[in-house]
């Protein structure tokens, strides 16, 4: 803990000493290889739709300290994995009036959920845009006859981590045209809206100032390919929408609710800003 | 001290004459075409020492979130915005007041939040609670705090 703080002080102090005007503190020059096995793309040329906004996209992993980055490189050190294991048990436990488990319909999670996270959020059969959490609850309520999990409940977070691990190393693959396009447009509008009494948009911090420090925080591009992430400060998993709530709250704004259509739309747009990056399944943050 | 006396005098006048007093409300601030605000918001000089505190404190000005200021000991100073060292050499008091009140009159589209502004905002919140703002949302800084910060900025000379 002390060590981490010291390093941050050092970096901030170094920036001060050099007397730098907002020079871009570069993201780390490091490669993310998990368990010496899976190489994750954490840097990529920006998608066509980001032309004029970003040239290169970077995972938030690159903006963290050495020790935090190391935790994501080995599943024995990645605190997410304890929770993923709990979810694996739930995966094969029958529940609800139908007395069925996830495994009864989807088989082994490694096969049934492979690549699923990379496509989320995604248009469902009825034509609505849904996040991974919506799909999980749809199975629980309509196929198992079990109760829906709250968006940010431990059960839901554990399960979304376990499912995300099955897309590890696969490129972000959200669809943004066809029926998803209007949602994407709304998400984009939100991204550039200056919310709250501080009148700050996502872009003010994550597009115009990534690499810079806002007080002690080294700003990343606010990418979601690493999500859900384990946050050491909270000693728990943080969902994508939970992070959105935190960022909007920090602009002295009235936030939207986790699971709201607004945040599902925003999630689609933010995910599409990560085209070229790989799903990390699952990140670690300070 | 001065301010206190002034406020008392003001309160007395208001009481006696029933007229609004020296303190300028956020909606009444007069900017010139360059974004400067000539008139003190309180009618009294600010306190530079208090201003230094306001500039370093998170729920208040928290200027150091974005700016570096060598004169302040606050740790973790950000580097989003230009360093404020020598600000008084570059700007007049009126210009600095304008920037602190609402920098968007000086720098259109600026990322810098208006410190003495009550709207219009998109989805204003109740401080950092994430809940909707009350109808009478107060500005981030009081008029006196703005004057204190301006007094502090006026001490920043190279």
């Amino acid at each position: 803990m002390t060590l981490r703080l010291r390093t941050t002080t050092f970096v901030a102090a170094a920036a001060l000493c050099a007397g730098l005007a907002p020079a871009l503190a570069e993201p780390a020059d490091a490669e993310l290889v998990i368990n010496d096995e899976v190489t994750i793309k954490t840097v990529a040329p920006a998608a066509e739709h980001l032309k004029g906004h970003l040239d290169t996209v970077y995972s938030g992993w690159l903006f963290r300290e050495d020790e935090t980055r190391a935790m994501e490189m080995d599943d024995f050190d990645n605190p997410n994995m304890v929770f993923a294991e709990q979810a694996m048990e739930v995966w094969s436990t029958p529940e609800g009036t139908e007395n069925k488990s996830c495994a009864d319909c989807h088989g082994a999670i490694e096969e049934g959920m492979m690549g699923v996270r990379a496509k989320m959020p995604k248009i469902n059969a009825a034509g609505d845009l849904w996040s991974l959490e919506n799909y999980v609850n749809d199975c629980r309520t309509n196929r198992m006859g079990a109760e829906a999990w709250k968006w940010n409940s431990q059960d839901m977070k554990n399960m979304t981590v376990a499912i995300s691990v099955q897309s590890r190393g696969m490129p972000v693959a959200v669809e943004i045209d066809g029926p998803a396009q209007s949602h994407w447009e709304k998400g984009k509008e939100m991204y550039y809206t200056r919310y709250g009494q501080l009148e700050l948009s996502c872009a003010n911090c994550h597009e115009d100032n990534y690499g810079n420090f806002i007080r002690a925080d080294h700003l990343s591009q606010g990418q979601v390919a690493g999500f859900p992430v384990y946050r050491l400060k909270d000693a728990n998993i943080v969902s994508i929408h939970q992070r959105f709530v935190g960022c909007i709250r920090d602009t002295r704004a009235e936030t939207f609710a986790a699971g709201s259509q607004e945040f599902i739309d925003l999630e689609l747009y933010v995910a599409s800003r990560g085209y070229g990056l790989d799903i990390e399944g699952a990140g670690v943050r300070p | 001290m001065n301010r206190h006396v002034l406020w008392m005098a003001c309160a007395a006048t208001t009481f006696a004459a029933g007229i609004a007093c020296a303190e300028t409300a956020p909606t009444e601030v007069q900017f010139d075409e360059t974004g400067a605000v000539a008139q003190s918001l309180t009618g009294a000089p600010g306190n530079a020492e208090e201003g230094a505190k306001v500039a370093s404190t998170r729920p208040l000005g928290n200027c150091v979130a974005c700016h570096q200021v060598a004169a302040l000991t606050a740790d973790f100073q950000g580097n989003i915005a230009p360093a404020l060292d020598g600000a008084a050499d570059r700007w007049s008091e009126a210009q600095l007041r304008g920037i602190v009140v609402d920098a968007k009159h000086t720098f259109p589209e600026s990322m810098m939040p208006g410190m003495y502004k009550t709207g219009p905002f998109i989805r204003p919140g109740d401080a950092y609670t994430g809940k909707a703002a009350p109808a009478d949302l107060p500005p981030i800084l009081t008029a006196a705090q703005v004057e204190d910060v301006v007094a502090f900025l006026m001490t920043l000379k190279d």
Side-chain angles (χ1 to χ4, degrees), chain A residues 2-63:
Chain A
T2 339
L3 202 72
R4 252 197 12 248
L5 281 174
R6 277 226 191 89
T7 338
T8 319
T9 320
F10 175 74
V11 175
L16 260 174
C17 290
L20 297 175
L24 222 61
E26 293 296 322
D29 181 15
E31 208 184 29
L32 176 53
V33 183
I34 300 178
N35 302 335
D36 293 322
E37 234 172 53
V38 190
T39 304
I40 307 284
K41 262 218 172 89
T42 56
V43 184
E48 193 61 27
H49 72 77
L50 286 172
K51 226 184 179 127
H53 294 274
L54 293 176
D55 295 329
T56 309
V57 291
Y58 302 98
S59 159
W61 181 79
L62 292 166
F63 295 82

Side-chain angles (χ1 to χ4, degrees), chain A residues 233-267:
Chain A
K233 192 174 123 191
D234 300 346
N236 207 336
I237 299 161
V238 172
S239 73
I240 294 173
H241 290 198
Q242 197 176 4
R243 183 72 238 195
F244 290 172
V245 165
C247 282
I248 293 200
R249 186 185 52 215
D250 282 350
T251 69
R252 286 183 179 243
E254 177 187 5
T255 66
F256 300 88
S260 61
Q261 191 62 53
E262 287 90 349
F263 272 170
I264 299 173
D265 294 351
L266 181 63
E267 181 187 342

